[in-house]
Amino acid sequence: MSTGVGQAATFAGADSSSEVSELSLLRNGQAYLWDLQAHRELYGLLPDLSADEIVDRVRSAGLTGRGGAGFPAHLKIAAARARGRHAVVVANGSESEPASLKDKALMLHRPFLIIEGAWLAAKAVSASKIYFYIHDYRHVHASLQRALSQLRQQDVSIEIAIAPNGYVSGESSAAVNFLNNQIALPTFSRPIDTGVNGAPTVVFNVETLAQMASIARIGSAAFRSLGTPNSPGSRLLTLSGGVFSPGTVVELLHPSPTMEVLEAAGGATAEPLAYLIGGYGGRFVPPFELLGAEENGSLGCGLVGVVPEGACGLNEAQRLFGFLASQSAKQCGPCQFGLPALQAKLPAALGTRPSRRAERSVIRLIREIAGRGGCSHPDAATAMLNSAIATFSEEVHLHRNRKCSAKGPQPVFKV
Amino acid sequence: MHTRLALDRIACNGHGICALMAPSCITLDRWGYPIIISEEIDENTLREAKRATKACPARALTLS
């Protein structure tokens, strides 16, 4: 199924057993649902829950944010309710990770589910205003508009805001800053304290909202029957890098040691040397750690990229780092000046003629930059680099001997 | 009741005056941006921290 958002995004059913499919978010990847009738036939009506019931269900379901940070959804709701004022809900669909497509795919294929989830969140925090914060993808925009025109709710108004491109524009405070000031850059103040028009604001990833609509229907026990105790519920993954169909979006129902989830994208093109998980600002892990990440839910935005044999993980990491450095909002010195300074040192430290001196200064720079930004962008960039150095330690030795294992198609991850 | 020194890194423009005013609380990195040595402020460092907070042209430091 093509989504028309650059790469083809396909929904693939990971498990064909009908019992499980009735509980899954996508109900086994059935086609486009841009007609309300079809949506209701597949999912049934949304139960009419009170605000307290919504909070209870989300809490006992153990739903965590699907945008990257994995923050417990009920805590966000509770924080807004504790403010004792009318809050604002932002449905964040501004998926800014270059290889991640799951939010775009979800907005295209299941727009009604996201809108229902946004209603539930609005009811829970007594909000009368919902903003959909998305990037300028024509088909995504059209899908949401079409769904909104069919599905209305009294006393809640929904508006779509189109965010400018940029890696950090999807950060929750950047979303609020854009809605307030038309500046899609992170701020020091937190959305829950000073959000849209000064009101307490909860920013939820669109998949998190869709999961709320699912929990409202199937209940929290059924939700917990998917996933693991540490990571309840299913989650959407984007399969990327060295797989035959990069850009495939799949719903992970249960982590499995055999990694059959990769089959949804036609399997790996070569033996995986490592995985990149959680996006370009995520981390590289050796193959045996992927299952643990799935079980703990530490998958960030759900990107799972294969680094196949024949690729050089250090070259990949350097290119990704260069991209992240270019995406600094340039608001904080350590990020604005530190990331490019670090990038400039990388060829001499991680290339095929590395000098110990450059290696030492890279390590020093990483320490100097991490934890010193207004948002977590410099932390994510340096953590990704650290993970590459640790995961590709054999490649580090090869490079020290002026060899490199890059021979397959390059680059694996496009920026 | 502890006093904490907080830095708004987005407001900070790297003037560097804070490190002159409060050398025992703040140093500067190679680009001239502050590194907070310890966020916890005690009676020995409170005067310095107050001075730095007042002197910051970007109003990026707060004591709470």
Side-chain angles (χ1 to χ4, degrees):
Chain A
M1 202 176 312
S2 170
T3 58
V5 284
Q7 286 166 289
T10 342
F11 271 151
D15 194 324
S16 53
S17 78
S18 62
E19 183 199 17
V20 173
S21 79
E22 276 171 28
L23 305 179
S24 73
L25 183 67
L26 303 174
R27 305 282 159 99
N28 265 0
Q30 290 196 18
Y32 266 93
L33 287 185
W34 56 23
D35 171 66
L36 183 58
Q37 198 58 37
H39 168 75
R40 289 198 168 140
E41 269 165 30
L42 188 59
Y43 288 95
L45 286 174
L46 185 69
D48 188 23
L49 300 175
S50 72
D52 289 338
E53 283 170 331
I54 296 167
V55 176
D56 272 355
R57 284 202 186 188
V58 171
R59 186 195 299 117
S60 50
L63 175 63
T64 53
R66 302 294 202 241
F71 191 74
H74 76 270
L75 292 181
K76 221 180 241 188
I77 293 175
R81 281 159 71 94
R83 298 296 190 281
R85 295 167 53 199
H86 290 289
V88 171
V89 172
V90 176
N92 191 354
S94 66
E95 189 171 44
S96 307
E97 273 291 340
S100 186
L101 289 171
K102 59 107 179 162
D103 290 336
K104 296 174 197 81
L106 190 67
M107 289 185 285
L108 277 170
H109 296 253
R110 295 292 184 274
F112 297 104
L113 209 54
I114 302 169
I115 295 167
E116 289 173 338
W119 282 352
L120 292 169
K123 191 159 188 185
V125 300
S126 55
S128 55
K129 188 89 204 176
I130 297 167
Y131 291 94
F132 271 83
Y133 180 71
I134 60 172
H135 283 308
D136 191 10
Y137 288 102
R138 191 159 51 90
H139 300 284
V140 167
H141 192 184
S143 165
L144 288 174
Q145 270 184 328
R146 192 163 40 224
L148 285 171
S149 69
Q150 295 175 67
L151 194 60
R152 284 181 207 281
Q153 175 103 320
Q154 285 176 341
D155 57 311
V156 188
S157 72
I158 301 187
E159 215 174 284
I160 299 176
I162 306 287
N165 289 333
Y167 190 81
V168 296
S169 65
E171 202 263 345
S172 61
S173 71
V176 169
N177 196 10
F178 180 76
L179 293 170
N180 282 334
N181 310 311
Q182 302 287 304
I183 302 168
L185 297 177
T187 63
F188 186 59
S189 52
R190 297 183 308 162
I192 194 70
D193 297 323
T194 29
V196 179
N197 293 325
T201 298
V202 285
V203 183
F204 282 115
N205 170 264
V206 287
E207 183 196 340
T208 315
L209 293 172
Q211 294 282 10
M212 280 186 205
S214 179
I215 290 165
R217 288 187 168 91
I218 65 173
S220 46
F223 180 77
R224 277 184 174 274
S225 72
L226 302 176
T228 63
N230 286 334
S231 170
S234 69
R235 62 171 62 234
L236 297 180
L237 304 180
T238 311
L239 306 175
S240 177
V243 289
F244 282 105
S245 311
T248 298
V249 175
V250 65
E251 181 175 3
L252 178 72
L253 301 173
H254 295 289
S256 142
T258 55
M259 301 302 152
E260 59 224 26
V261 70
L262 293 179
E263 296 306 317
T269 54
E271 188 64 23
L273 287 177
Y275 293 99
L276 172 65
I277 55 183
Y280 289 0
R283 65 196 194 281
F284 289 96
V285 297
F288 65 86
E289 281 184 25
L290 178 61
L291 180 63
E294 288 179 1
E295 287 171 343
N296 294 326
S298 52
L299 293 168
C301 68
L303 183 84
V304 175
V306 173
V307 183
E309 218 170 64
C312 168
L314 295 179
N315 290 355
E316 294 296 326
Q318 283 184 67
R319 232 191 31 267
L320 296 188
F321 188 85
F323 167 77
L324 293 174
S326 77
Q327 294 295 310
S328 168
K330 300 189 170 56
Q331 297 192 113
C332 307
C335 184
Q336 176 180 6
F337 300 108
L339 295 186
L342 180 47
Q343 187 194 355
K345 285 276 179 219
L346 290 181
L350 299 177
T352 45
R353 287 168 173 262
S355 82
R356 297 281 169 154
R357 202 176 146 187
E359 285 176 12
R360 277 194 299 272
S361 61
V362 159
I363 289 164
R364 251 197 325 271
L365 277 163
I366 288 177
R367 273 199 219 115
E368 232 177 288
I369 296 164
R372 293 187 57 231
C375 72
S376 56
H377 186 65
D379 312 10
T382 49
M384 183 275 293
L385 203 55
N386 265 333
S387 74
I389 294 168
T391 303
F392 302 112
S393 56
E394 281 176 29
E395 191 71 27
V396 171
H397 284 291
L398 271 182
H399 282 201
R400 281 178 184 158
N401 293 316
R402 304 196 171 182
K403 294 193 183 81
C404 176
S405 51
K407 45 185 168 287
Q410 314 285 334
V412 177
F413 299 104
K414 298 176 178 58
V415 296
Chain B
M1 185 54 199
H2 285 289
T3 310
R4 294 183 70 87
L5 182 62
L7 168 64
D8 179 346
R9 299 189 180 278
I10 294 177
C12 173
N13 287 325
H15 293 91
I17 296 166
C18 52
L20 297 174
M21 295 292 166
S24 46
C25 310
I26 296 168
T27 60
L28 299 181
D29 67 12
R30 63 181 87 184
W31 305 287
Y33 288 84
I35 297 170
I36 310 273
I37 297 164
S38 163
E39 286 185 4
E40 301 285 340
I41 299 297
D42 56 28
E43 63 261 31
N44 301 320
T45 51
L46 185 61
R47 263 182 72 126
E48 279 193 12
K50 274 187 178 161
R51 227 168 35 180
T53 306
K54 265 198 191 136
C56 174
R59 295 272 173 270
L61 287 168
T62 40
L63 279 169
S64 58

